[in-house]
Coordinates of all heavy atoms in Angstrom, one line a residue:
M6 N 38.6 46.4 297.2 CA 38.6 46.7 295.8 C 38.4 45.5 294.9 O 37.8 45.6 293.9 CB 40.0 47.3 295.5 CG 40.1 47.8 294.1 SD 41.6 48.7 293.8 CE 40.9 50.3 293.6
F7 N 38.8 44.3 295.4 CA 38.5 43.0 294.7 C 38.6 41.9 295.6 O 39.2 42.0 296.7 CB 39.5 42.8 293.5 CG 40.9 42.6 293.9 CD1 41.4 41.3 294.2 CD2 41.8 43.6 293.9 CE1 42.7 41.1 294.6 CE2 43.2 43.4 294.3 CZ 43.6 42.2 294.6
T8 N 38.0 40.8 295.3 CA 38.1 39.5 296.0 C 38.6 38.5 295.1 O 38.6 38.6 293.9 CB 36.7 39.1 296.5 OG1 35.8 38.9 295.4 CG2 36.1 40.1 297.5
I9 N 39.2 37.5 295.7 CA 39.8 36.4 294.9 C 38.9 35.2 295.1 O 38.7 34.7 296.2 CB 41.3 36.1 295.4 CG1 42.1 37.4 295.2 CG2 41.8 34.9 294.7 CD1 43.4 37.3 295.9
K10 N 38.5 34.6 294.0 CA 37.7 33.4 294.0 C 38.6 32.2 293.5 O 39.2 32.3 292.5 CB 36.5 33.5 293.1 CG 35.6 32.3 293.1 CD 34.4 32.4 292.3 CE 33.6 31.1 292.4 NZ 32.4 31.2 291.6
I11 N 38.6 31.2 294.3 CA 39.4 30.0 294.0 C 38.5 28.9 293.4 O 37.4 28.6 294.0 CB 40.1 29.4 295.3 CG1 41.1 30.5 295.9 CG2 40.8 28.1 295.0 CD1 42.2 30.9 295.0
I12 N 38.8 28.4 292.3 CA 38.1 27.3 291.6 C 39.0 26.0 291.6 O 40.0 26.0 290.8 CB 37.6 27.6 290.2 CG1 36.7 28.9 290.3 CG2 36.9 26.5 289.6 CD1 37.4 30.1 289.8
P13 N 38.7 25.0 292.4 CA 39.7 23.9 292.5 C 39.7 23.1 291.3 O 38.7 23.0 290.5 CB 39.1 23.1 293.7 CG 37.7 23.5 293.7 CD 37.6 24.9 293.3
N14 N 40.9 22.5 291.0 CA 41.0 21.6 289.9 C 40.8 20.2 290.3 O 41.7 19.4 290.7 CB 42.5 21.7 289.3 CG 42.7 20.8 288.1 OD1 41.8 20.4 287.5 ND2 44.0 20.6 287.8
D15 N 39.5 19.8 290.3 CA 39.1 18.5 290.8 C 39.5 17.4 289.9 O 39.5 16.2 290.3 CB 37.6 18.5 291.1 CG 37.1 19.5 292.1 OD1 38.0 19.7 293.0 OD2 36.0 20.0 292.1
K16 N 39.8 17.7 288.7 CA 40.1 16.6 287.7 C 41.5 16.2 287.8 O 41.8 15.1 287.3 CB 39.8 17.2 286.3 CG 38.3 17.5 286.0 CD 38.2 18.2 284.7 CE 36.7 18.7 284.6 NZ 36.6 19.8 283.8
G17 N 42.4 17.0 288.4 CA 43.8 16.6 288.5 C 44.5 16.6 287.1 O 45.6 16.0 287.0
N18 N 44.0 17.3 286.2 CA 44.6 17.4 284.9 C 44.6 18.8 284.4 O 43.5 19.5 284.5 CB 43.8 16.5 283.9 CG 44.5 16.4 282.5 OD1 45.7 16.6 282.4 ND2 43.8 15.9 281.5
P19 N 45.7 19.4 284.1 CA 47.0 18.8 284.0 C 47.6 18.6 285.4 O 47.3 19.2 286.4 CB 47.8 19.9 283.2 CG 47.1 21.2 283.4 CD 45.6 20.8 283.7
T20 N 48.6 17.7 285.4 CA 49.3 17.3 286.6 C 50.0 18.6 287.2 O 50.6 19.3 286.5 CB 50.3 16.3 286.3 OG1 49.7 15.1 285.7 CG2 51.0 15.8 287.6
G21 N 49.8 18.7 288.5 CA 50.4 19.8 289.2 C 49.5 21.1 289.3 O 49.8 21.9 290.2
K22 N 48.4 21.2 288.5 CA 47.5 22.3 288.6 C 46.6 22.1 289.8 O 45.9 21.1 289.8 CB 46.8 22.6 287.4 CG 45.9 23.8 287.4 CD 45.3 24.1 286.1 CE 44.6 25.4 286.2 NZ 43.9 25.7 284.9
L23 N 46.6 23.0 290.8 CA 45.8 22.9 292.0 C 44.4 23.6 291.8 O 43.4 23.1 292.3 CB 46.5 23.4 293.2 CG 47.9 22.8 293.5 CD1 48.6 23.5 294.6 CD2 47.7 21.3 293.8
A24 N 44.5 24.8 291.2 CA 43.2 25.5 291.1 C 43.4 26.7 290.1 O 44.5 27.1 289.7 CB 42.9 26.1 292.4
D25 N 42.2 27.2 289.7 CA 42.2 28.5 288.9 C 41.8 29.6 289.9 O 41.2 29.3 291.0 CB 41.1 28.4 287.8 CG 41.5 27.5 286.7 OD1 42.6 27.7 286.1 OD2 40.8 26.6 286.4
A26 N 42.2 30.8 289.6 CA 41.8 31.9 290.5 C 41.3 33.0 289.6 O 41.7 33.2 288.5 CB 43.0 32.4 291.3
E27 N 40.3 33.7 290.1 CA 39.7 34.9 289.5 C 39.7 36.1 290.4 O 39.6 35.9 291.6 CB 38.2 34.6 289.1 CG 38.0 33.4 288.2 CD 36.5 33.1 288.0 OE1 35.7 33.7 288.7 OE2 36.3 32.3 287.1
L28 N 39.9 37.2 289.8 CA 39.8 38.5 290.6 C 38.4 39.1 290.3 O 38.0 39.3 289.2 CB 40.8 39.5 290.2 CG 42.3 39.1 290.3 CD1 43.2 40.3 290.0 CD2 42.6 38.6 291.7
H29 N 37.5 39.2 291.4 CA 36.2 39.8 291.2 C 36.3 41.2 291.8 O 36.5 41.4 293.0 CB 35.2 39.0 292.0 CG 34.9 37.6 291.4 ND1 33.7 37.0 291.4 CD2 35.7 36.8 290.6 CE1 33.8 35.9 290.8 NE2 35.0 35.7 290.3
F30 N 36.1 42.2 290.9 CA 36.2 43.6 291.3 C 35.0 44.1 292.0 O 33.9 43.8 291.5 CB 36.6 44.5 290.1 CG 37.9 44.1 289.5 CD1 38.0 43.3 288.4 CD2 39.1 44.6 290.1 CE1 39.3 42.9 287.9 CE2 40.3 44.3 289.6 CZ 40.4 43.4 288.5
T31 N 35.1 44.7 293.1 CA 34.0 45.2 293.9 C 33.8 46.7 294.0 O 32.8 47.1 294.6 CB 34.1 44.6 295.3 OG1 35.3 45.0 295.9 CG2 34.0 43.0 295.3
D32 N 34.8 47.4 293.5 CA 34.8 48.9 293.7 C 35.4 49.5 292.5 O 36.2 48.9 291.8 CB 35.5 49.2 295.0 CG 35.2 50.7 295.4 OD1 34.2 51.2 295.0 OD2 36.1 51.2 296.1
G33 N 35.1 50.8 292.3 CA 35.7 51.6 291.2 C 35.1 51.3 289.8 O 34.1 50.7 289.7
A34 N 35.9 51.7 288.8 CA 35.4 51.5 287.4 C 35.3 50.1 287.0 O 34.5 49.8 286.1 CB 36.4 52.3 286.5
L35 N 36.0 49.2 287.7 CA 35.9 47.7 287.3 C 34.9 47.0 288.1 O 34.8 45.7 287.9 CB 37.3 47.1 287.4 CG 38.4 47.7 286.5 CD1 39.7 47.0 286.8 CD2 38.1 47.6 285.1
A36 N 34.1 47.6 289.0 CA 33.1 46.9 289.8 C 32.2 46.2 288.9 O 31.7 46.6 287.9 CB 32.4 48.0 290.7
G37 N 32.0 44.9 289.4 CA 31.1 44.0 288.6 C 31.7 43.2 287.5 O 31.1 42.4 286.9
L38 N 33.1 43.4 287.4 CA 33.8 42.6 286.3 C 34.7 41.7 287.0 O 35.0 41.8 288.2 CB 34.6 43.6 285.5 CG 33.8 44.6 284.7 CD1 34.8 45.5 283.9 CD2 32.9 43.9 283.7
K39 N 35.2 40.7 286.3 CA 36.2 39.7 286.8 C 37.3 39.5 285.8 O 37.1 39.7 284.6 CB 35.6 38.4 287.2 CG 35.0 37.6 286.0 CD 34.4 36.3 286.6 CE 33.6 35.6 285.4 NZ 33.0 34.3 286.0
L40 N 38.5 39.2 286.4 CA 39.7 38.9 285.5 C 40.0 37.5 285.8 O 40.3 37.1 286.9 CB 40.8 39.9 285.9 CG 42.2 39.7 285.2 CD1 42.0 39.9 283.7 CD2 43.2 40.6 285.7
I41 N 40.0 36.7 284.7 CA 40.2 35.3 284.8 C 41.6 34.9 284.2 O 42.3 35.8 283.6 CB 39.2 34.5 284.1 CG1 39.2 34.8 282.6 CG2 37.8 34.8 284.7 CD1 38.3 33.9 281.8
G42 N 42.1 33.7 284.4 CA 43.3 33.2 283.8 C 44.4 33.0 284.7 O 45.5 32.7 284.3
F43 N 44.2 33.2 286.0 CA 45.3 32.9 287.0 C 45.2 31.4 287.3 O 44.1 30.8 287.4 CB 45.0 33.7 288.3 CG 45.1 35.2 288.1 CD1 44.0 35.9 287.8 CD2 46.3 35.8 288.1 CE1 44.0 37.2 287.6 CE2 46.4 37.2 287.9 CZ 45.2 37.9 287.7
G44 N 46.4 30.8 287.6 CA 46.4 29.4 288.0 C 47.3 29.2 289.1 O 48.4 29.9 289.2
V45 N 46.9 28.3 290.1 CA 47.8 28.0 291.2 C 48.4 26.6 290.9 O 47.6 25.6 290.7 CB 47.0 28.0 292.5 CG1 47.9 27.6 293.7 CG2 46.3 29.3 292.8
W46 N 49.7 26.5 290.9 CA 50.3 25.2 290.6 C 51.3 24.8 291.7 O 51.9 25.6 292.4 CB 51.2 25.5 289.3 CG 50.4 25.7 288.1 CD1 49.7 26.8 287.7 CD2 50.1 24.7 287.1 NE1 49.1 26.6 286.5 CE2 49.3 25.3 286.1 CE3 50.5 23.4 286.9 CZ2 48.9 24.7 285.0 CZ3 50.1 22.7 285.7 CH2 49.3 23.4 284.8
E47 N 51.5 23.5 291.8 CA 52.5 22.9 292.7 C 53.8 23.0 291.9 O 53.8 22.6 290.7 CB 52.1 21.5 293.0 CG 52.9 20.9 294.1 CD 52.4 21.3 295.4 OE1 51.2 21.2 295.7 OE2 53.3 21.6 296.3
R48 N 54.8 23.5 292.5 CA 56.1 23.6 291.8 C 56.7 22.2 291.6 O 56.9 21.5 292.5 CB 57.1 24.5 292.5 CG 56.7 26.0 292.5 CD 57.7 26.8 293.2 NE 57.3 28.2 293.2 CZ 57.9 29.1 293.8 NH1 59.0 28.9 294.5 NH2 57.5 30.4 293.7
P49 N 57.1 21.9 290.3 CA 57.6 20.5 290.1 C 59.0 20.4 290.7 O 59.8 21.3 290.7 CB 57.7 20.5 288.6 CG 57.6 21.8 288.1 CD 56.9 22.6 289.1
G50 N 59.3 19.2 291.3 CA 60.6 19.0 291.9 C 60.9 19.7 293.2 O 62.0 19.7 293.7
S51 N 59.9 20.3 293.8 CA 60.1 21.0 295.0 C 59.3 20.3 296.2 O 58.4 19.5 295.9 CB 59.6 22.5 295.0 OG 58.2 22.5 294.8
P52 N 59.7 20.6 297.4 CA 59.0 20.0 298.5 C 57.5 20.4 298.5 O 57.1 21.4 298.0 CB 59.7 20.6 299.8 CG 60.9 21.3 299.3 CD 60.8 21.5 297.8
A53 N 56.7 19.5 299.1 CA 55.3 19.7 299.1 C 55.0 21.1 299.8 O 55.7 21.5 300.7 CB 54.6 18.7 299.9
G54 N 54.0 21.8 299.3 CA 53.6 23.1 299.8 C 54.2 24.2 299.0 O 53.9 25.4 299.3
R55 N 55.2 24.0 298.1 CA 55.7 25.1 297.3 C 54.8 25.3 296.1 O 54.6 24.5 295.3 CB 57.1 24.7 296.8 CG 58.2 24.4 297.9 CD 58.6 25.7 298.6 NE 59.0 26.6 297.6 CZ 59.9 27.6 297.7 NH1 60.4 27.8 298.9 NH2 60.2 28.4 296.8
R56 N 54.3 26.5 296.1 CA 53.3 26.8 295.1 C 53.7 28.0 294.2 O 54.5 28.8 294.7 CB 52.0 27.2 295.8 CG 51.6 26.1 296.8 CD 50.4 25.3 296.4 NE 50.2 24.1 297.1 CZ 49.7 23.9 298.2 NH1 49.2 25.0 298.9 NH2 49.5 22.7 298.7
N57 N 53.1 28.1 293.1 CA 53.4 29.2 292.2 C 52.1 29.7 291.5 O 51.1 28.9 291.4 CB 54.4 28.7 291.1 CG 54.8 29.9 290.2 OD1 55.0 31.0 290.7 ND2 55.0 29.6 288.9
V58 N 52.0 30.9 291.1 CA 50.9 31.4 290.5 C 51.3 31.9 289.1 O 52.3 32.6 288.9 CB 50.3 32.7 291.3 CG1 49.1 33.3 290.5 CG2 49.9 32.3 292.6
V59 N 50.5 31.4 288.1 CA 50.7 31.9 286.7 C 49.7 32.9 286.4 O 48.5 32.8 286.9 CB 50.7 30.7 285.7 CG1 51.9 29.8 285.9 CG2 49.4 30.0 285.7
F60 N 50.1 33.9 285.7 CA 49.2 35.1 285.3 C 48.6 34.9 284.0 O 49.1 34.1 283.1 CB 50.0 36.4 285.4 CG 50.3 36.8 286.8 CD1 51.2 36.2 287.6 CD2 49.6 37.9 287.3 CE1 51.5 36.6 288.9 CE2 49.9 38.4 288.6 CZ 50.8 37.7 289.4
P61 N 47.5 35.6 283.7 CA 46.8 35.4 282.3 C 47.8 35.8 281.2 O 48.6 36.7 281.3 CB 45.7 36.4 282.4 CG 45.5 36.7 283.8 CD 46.8 36.5 284.5
A62 N 47.8 35.0 280.2 CA 48.7 35.2 279.0 C 47.9 34.7 277.8 O 47.0 33.9 277.9 CB 50.0 34.4 279.2
R63 N 48.4 35.1 276.6 CA 47.9 34.7 275.4 C 49.0 34.1 274.6 O 50.0 34.6 274.4 CB 47.3 35.9 274.6 CG 46.7 35.5 273.3 CD 45.9 36.5 272.7 NE 45.3 36.0 271.5 CZ 44.7 36.7 270.6 NH1 44.6 38.0 270.7 NH2 44.2 36.2 269.5
S64 N 48.7 32.9 274.0 CA 49.7 32.2 273.2 C 49.7 32.6 271.8 O 48.6 32.9 271.3 CB 49.5 30.7 273.3 OG 49.7 30.2 274.6
Y65 N 50.8 32.6 271.2 CA 50.9 32.9 269.7 C 52.1 32.2 269.2 O 52.9 31.7 269.9 CB 50.9 34.4 269.4 CG 52.2 35.1 270.0 CD1 53.3 35.4 269.1 CD2 52.2 35.5 271.3 CE1 54.4 36.0 269.6 CE2 53.3 36.2 271.8 CZ 54.4 36.4 270.9 OH 55.5 37.0 271.4
T66 N 52.1 32.1 267.8 CA 53.2 31.3 267.2 C 54.0 32.3 266.3 O 53.4 33.0 265.5 CB 52.7 30.1 266.4 OG1 51.9 29.3 267.3 CG2 53.8 29.3 265.8
V67 N 55.3 32.2 266.3 CA 56.2 32.9 265.4 C 57.2 31.9 264.8 O 57.9 31.3 265.6 CB 57.0 34.0 266.2 CG1 58.0 34.7 265.2 CG2 56.0 35.0 266.7
N68 N 57.2 31.8 263.5 CA 58.1 30.8 262.8 C 58.0 29.4 263.4 O 59.0 28.8 263.6 CB 59.5 31.3 262.8 CG 59.6 32.6 262.1 OD1 58.9 32.9 261.1 ND2 60.5 33.5 262.5
G69 N 56.8 29.0 263.8 CA 56.6 27.6 264.3 C 56.9 27.5 265.8 O 56.8 26.5 266.4
E70 N 57.4 28.6 266.4 CA 57.8 28.6 267.8 C 56.6 29.2 268.7 O 56.2 30.3 268.4 CB 59.0 29.4 268.1 CG 59.5 29.4 269.5 CD 60.7 30.3 269.7 OE1 61.5 30.6 268.7 OE2 61.0 30.7 270.9
R71 N 56.2 28.5 269.7 CA 55.1 28.9 270.5 C 55.6 29.9 271.6 O 56.6 29.6 272.3 CB 54.4 27.7 271.2 CG 53.2 28.1 271.9 CD 52.4 26.9 272.3 NE 51.3 27.3 273.2 CZ 50.5 26.5 273.7 NH1 50.5 25.2 273.4 NH2 49.5 26.9 274.5
R72 N 55.0 31.0 271.7 CA 55.4 32.1 272.7 C 54.1 32.5 273.4 O 53.0 32.2 273.0 CB 56.0 33.2 272.0 CG 57.3 32.9 271.2 CD 57.9 34.1 270.6 NE 59.0 33.8 269.8 CZ 59.8 34.6 269.2 NH1 59.4 35.9 269.2 NH2 60.8 34.2 268.5
S73 N 54.3 33.3 274.5 CA 53.1 33.8 275.2 C 53.4 35.3 275.5 O 54.5 35.8 275.6 CB 52.9 33.1 276.5 OG 53.9 33.2 277.4
F74 N 52.2 36.0 275.5 CA 52.2 37.4 275.8 C 51.5 37.6 277.1 O 50.3 37.3 277.2 CB 51.5 38.1 274.6 CG 51.3 39.5 274.7 CD1 52.3 40.4 274.3 CD2 50.1 40.1 275.1 CE1 52.1 41.8 274.4 CE2 49.9 41.5 275.2 CZ 51.0 42.3 274.8
A75 N 52.1 38.2 278.1 CA 51.5 38.5 279.4 C 50.4 39.5 279.2 O 50.7 40.6 278.7 CB 52.5 38.9 280.4
L76 N 49.2 39.2 279.8 CA 48.1 40.2 279.6 C 48.1 41.2 280.8 O 47.5 42.3 280.7 CB 46.8 39.4 279.6 CG 46.7 38.6 278.3 CD1 45.4 37.8 278.4 CD2 46.7 39.4 277.1
L77 N 48.7 40.8 281.9 CA 48.7 41.7 283.1 C 50.2 42.0 283.4 O 50.9 41.1 283.8 CB 48.0 41.0 284.3 CG 47.9 41.9 285.6 CD1 47.0 43.1 285.3 CD2 47.4 41.0 286.7
R78 N 50.6 43.2 283.1 CA 52.0 43.6 283.2 C 52.2 44.8 284.1 O 51.3 45.6 284.2 CB 52.6 43.8 281.9 CG 52.6 42.6 281.0 CD 53.2 42.8 279.7 NE 52.3 43.5 278.8 CZ 52.5 44.0 277.7 NH1 53.7 43.9 277.2 NH2 51.6 44.6 276.9
P79 N 53.3 44.9 284.8 CA 53.6 46.0 285.7 C 53.8 47.3 284.8 O 54.3 47.3 283.7 CB 54.9 45.7 286.4 CG 55.4 44.5 285.7 CD 54.4 43.9 284.9
V80 N 53.3 48.4 285.4 CA 53.5 49.7 284.7 C 55.0 50.1 284.8 O 55.6 50.4 283.8 CB 52.6 50.8 285.4 CG1 53.0 52.2 284.8 CG2 51.2 50.5 285.2
A81 N 55.6 50.0 286.0 CA 57.0 50.3 286.2 C 57.7 49.4 287.1 O 58.8 49.0 286.8 CB 57.1 51.7 286.9
D82 N 57.1 48.9 288.2 CA 57.7 48.1 289.2 C 57.0 46.8 289.3 O 55.8 46.7 289.3 CB 57.7 48.9 290.6 CG 58.4 48.2 291.7 OD1 59.2 47.2 291.4 OD2 58.3 48.5 292.8
T83 N 57.8 45.7 289.5 CA 57.2 44.3 289.6 C 56.7 44.0 291.0 O 56.1 43.0 291.1 CB 58.3 43.3 289.2 OG1 59.4 43.4 290.1 CG2 58.8 43.5 287.8
A84 N 56.7 44.9 291.9 CA 56.2 44.7 293.2 C 54.7 44.4 293.2 O 54.2 43.6 294.0 CB 56.5 45.9 294.2
G85 N 54.0 45.0 292.3 CA 52.6 44.7 292.2 C 52.3 43.3 291.8 O 51.4 42.6 292.4
H86 N 53.1 42.7 291.0 CA 53.0 41.2 290.6 C 53.2 40.4 291.9 O 52.4 39.4 292.1 CB 54.0 40.8 289.6 CG 53.5 40.8 288.2 ND1 53.7 41.7 287.3 CD2 52.7 39.8 287.6 CE1 53.1 41.4 286.1 NE2 52.5 40.3 286.3
E87 N 54.2 40.7 292.7 CA 54.5 39.9 293.9 C 53.4 40.0 294.9 O 53.0 39.1 295.5 CB 55.8 40.4 294.5 CG 57.0 40.2 293.6 CD 57.2 38.7 293.2 OE1 57.0 37.8 294.0 OE2 57.5 38.5 292.0
R88 N 52.8 41.2 295.1 CA 51.7 41.4 296.0 C 50.5 40.6 295.6 O 49.8 39.9 296.4 CB 51.3 42.9 296.1 CG 52.3 43.7 297.0 CD 51.7 45.1 297.3 NE 51.4 45.8 296.1 CZ 52.2 46.6 295.4 NH1 53.4 46.7 295.7 NH2 51.8 47.3 294.3
L89 N 50.2 40.6 294.3 CA 49.0 39.9 293.8 C 49.3 38.4 293.9 O 48.4 37.6 294.3 CB 48.7 40.3 292.3 CG 47.5 39.6 291.7 CD1 46.3 39.8 292.6 CD2 47.3 40.1 290.3
R90 N 50.5 37.9 293.6 CA 50.8 36.5 293.7 C 50.7 36.1 295.2 O 50.1 35.0 295.4 CB 52.3 36.3 293.2 CG 52.7 34.9 293.4 CD 54.1 34.6 292.8 NE 54.0 34.5 291.4 CZ 54.5 35.4 290.5 NH1 55.2 36.4 290.9 NH2 54.4 35.2 289.2
D91 N 51.2 36.9 296.1 CA 51.0 36.6 297.5 C 49.6 36.5 298.0 O 49.2 35.6 298.7 CB 51.8 37.5 298.4 CG 53.3 37.4 298.2 OD1 53.8 36.4 297.6 OD2 54.0 38.4 298.6
A92 N 48.8 37.4 297.4 CA 47.3 37.5 297.8 C 46.6 36.2 297.3 O 45.8 35.6 298.0 CB 46.7 38.7 297.3
I93 N 47.0 35.8 296.1 CA 46.3 34.6 295.5 C 46.7 33.4 296.2 O 45.9 32.5 296.6 CB 46.6 34.5 294.0 CG1 45.9 35.6 293.2 CG2 46.2 33.1 293.4 CD1 46.3 35.8 291.8
L94 N 48.0 33.3 296.6 CA 48.5 32.1 297.4 C 47.8 32.1 298.8 O 47.5 31.0 299.3 CB 50.0 32.1 297.5 CG 50.8 31.8 296.2 CD1 52.3 32.0 296.3 CD2 50.4 30.4 295.7
A95 N 47.7 33.3 299.4 CA 47.0 33.3 300.7 C 45.5 32.9 300.5 O 45.0 32.2 301.4 CB 47.1 34.7 301.3
A96 N 44.9 33.3 299.5 CA 43.5 32.9 299.3 C 43.4 31.4 299.0 O 42.4 30.8 299.5 CB 42.9 33.7 298.1
Y97 N 44.3 30.8 298.3 CA 44.3 29.4 298.1 C 44.6 28.7 299.5 O 43.9 27.6 299.7 CB 45.4 28.9 297.1 CG 45.3 27.5 296.9 CD1 44.3 26.9 296.1 CD2 46.2 26.6 297.4 CE1 44.1 25.6 295.9 CE2 46.1 25.2 297.2 CZ 45.0 24.7 296.5 OH 44.9 23.4 296.3
A98 N 45.5 29.2 300.3 CA 45.7 28.6 301.6 C 44.5 28.6 302.5 O 44.1 27.6 303.1 CB 46.9 29.3 302.3
E99 N 43.7 29.7 302.4 CA 42.4 29.8 303.1 C 41.4 28.8 302.6 O 40.7 28.2 303.4 CB 41.8 31.2 303.0 CG 42.5 32.3 303.9 CD 41.8 33.6 303.7 OE1 40.6 33.7 303.4 OE2 42.5 34.6 303.8
Y100 N 41.4 28.7 301.3 CA 40.5 27.7 300.7 C 40.8 26.3 301.1 O 40.0 25.5 301.5 CB 40.6 27.8 299.2 CG 39.9 26.6 298.5 CD1 38.5 26.6 298.3 CD2 40.6 25.5 298.1 CE1 37.9 25.5 297.8 CE2 40.0 24.4 297.5 CZ 38.6 24.4 297.3 OH 38.0 23.3 296.8
E101 N 42.1 26.0 301.2 CA 42.6 24.6 301.6 C 42.1 24.3 303.1 O 41.7 23.3 303.4 CB 44.1 24.5 301.5 CG 44.6 23.9 300.2 CD 46.1 23.7 300.3 OE1 46.8 24.5 300.9 OE2 46.5 22.6 299.8
T102 N 42.3 25.4 303.9 CA 42.0 25.2 305.3 C 40.5 25.0 305.5 O 40.1 24.1 306.3 CB 42.4 26.4 306.1 OG1 43.9 26.6 305.9 CG2 42.1 26.3 307.6
A103 N 39.7 25.8 304.8 CA 38.2 25.6 304.9 C 37.8 24.3 304.4 O 36.8 23.7 304.8 CB 37.6 26.8 304.1
A104 N 38.4 23.8 303.3 CA 38.0 22.5 302.7 C 38.4 21.3 303.5 O 37.8 20.3 303.4 CB 38.6 22.4 301.3
A105 N 39.4 21.5 304.4 CA 39.9 20.4 305.2 C 39.0 20.1 306.4 O 38.1 20.6 306.7 CB 41.3 20.7 305.7

C-alpha cells in the first residue's frame, strides 16, 4: 500500500535529528502521492539507539504561545500511530544497516 523513504540528515542540524521520512503510496486512491513531514530523532538523554518519530504537524500561535496541530490523527484508536511509528523506525534501521 505504501513504501517508506528515508532522507538522512547529513547536515546534523538540528541536533538529534537523524532523518526525514516520507510515505510513498503505491496502491489505492492515494497511489502516486506522498505524505511528508515525518522525522526520526535520537531521544535526548537516553542511551544510544533510542529513537522517536515525530508526525507531520502545523504550527500556529495563540496569544503569543506557539502550539502545533497534528495533521495525521487516529480515527478512534492510537494503535495505528504505533504501527506507523514502528514501521518508520524499522525502515530507518534498514537504511542504517545498508549504509554501514
